[in-house]
Amino acid sequence: MANYTEAFPSLPSTAWQETSSTLHLWTQVIGKIRMELTPLINHWWNVTLYVTSRGLTTSSIPYETRFFQIDFDFIAHELCISTSDGQRRAFALKAYSVAEFYQKTMDALASLGIKVKIWTMPQEVSNPILFENDTKHASYNLEYAHRFWQVLVQTNRVFTQFRSRFMGKVSPTHFFWGSFDLALTRFSGRTAPKHPGAPGVADSITHEAYSHEVSSCGFWPGGGGVEPFFYSYAYPEPEGFKEYQIKPEAAYYHKDIQEFVLPLESLRISDSPDETLLSFLESTYEAAAVLGKWDREALERH
């Protein structure tokens, strides 16, 4: 395996906090458009965004007899909307307020003949403000937006390799705009007990997301003074999970969030960041599969 020692750029929480908060809400505007126009797919997979060679995309969204997609381009720093009949609208990404971004997006869609009404209350954020009223969040640092996307690209690359080792049901690697993280989930094939719900999340969302047993991993880009980290958890969490011996040494079980975590910075100082991340993914999955008595012979590729 190649040794990409410079693949994961620095993403200090304090330096990019304001851009992160704004971008989080921008992705919610775009994600809610996809959610409104697509039918529900298991575990809410119809609402997510995906990593591209230039940024994040909704992928194709049906609208009447056409398709369209919305792309964040973190190289050219623009938002682009393209349609299946050859039309295109774009505007530069810069320090717009959420209210300005929301209005520019809706105006661009209207100019393409696309009419959509979304619920404009943000989700999974503290002290939410309606998109059209939010003039508080208005930061966009091009350098840190680009770094954020670069981390997603590299994470997606390693996650894809990890995903390929599983023959059972496994999710795409997708970006959840509510929780603002990149995630990948493996399934045991068994149904799960009803989830008790999570703070600030509607029960219907949580129950759909955790209808079946999972071992899930992801990357969260930090916030609130907490540095970015990779995570892994199991639902339901089997007995002994938090004490299971995992790799690498920098990883640990975070009692507050009840997940295993691996700081992004540990990859940046590693001689083999890919191997470091893969060891975390494999060992934390093993904790879920061994202790949860998954049928590993049937589910894993040998």
Side-chain angles (χ1 to χ4, degrees), residues 229-231 233 237 253-261:
F229 59 75
F230 297 91
Y231 64 80
Y233 64 89
E237 184 180 293
Y253 188 86
H254 196 299
K255 294 182 179 179
D256 291 338
I257 62 175
Q258 299 181 37
E259 298 173 357
F260 288 115
V261 300

Side-chain angles (χ1 to χ4, degrees), residues 208-257:
E208 173 64 34
Y210 295 104
S211 60
H212 290 69
E213 287 185 348
V214 300
S215 171
S216 192
C217 59
F219 169 74
W220 181 65
V226 179
E227 295 302 318
F229 59 75
F230 297 91
Y231 64 80
S232 180
Y233 64 89
Y235 181 77
E237 184 180 293
E239 185 176 353
F241 183 72
K242 57 177 63 69
E243 292 83 27
Y244 200 87
Q245 293 297 307
I246 62 163
K247 299 177 182 178
E249 290 185 5
Y252 62 96
Y253 188 86
H254 196 299
K255 294 182 179 179
D256 291 338
I257 62 175

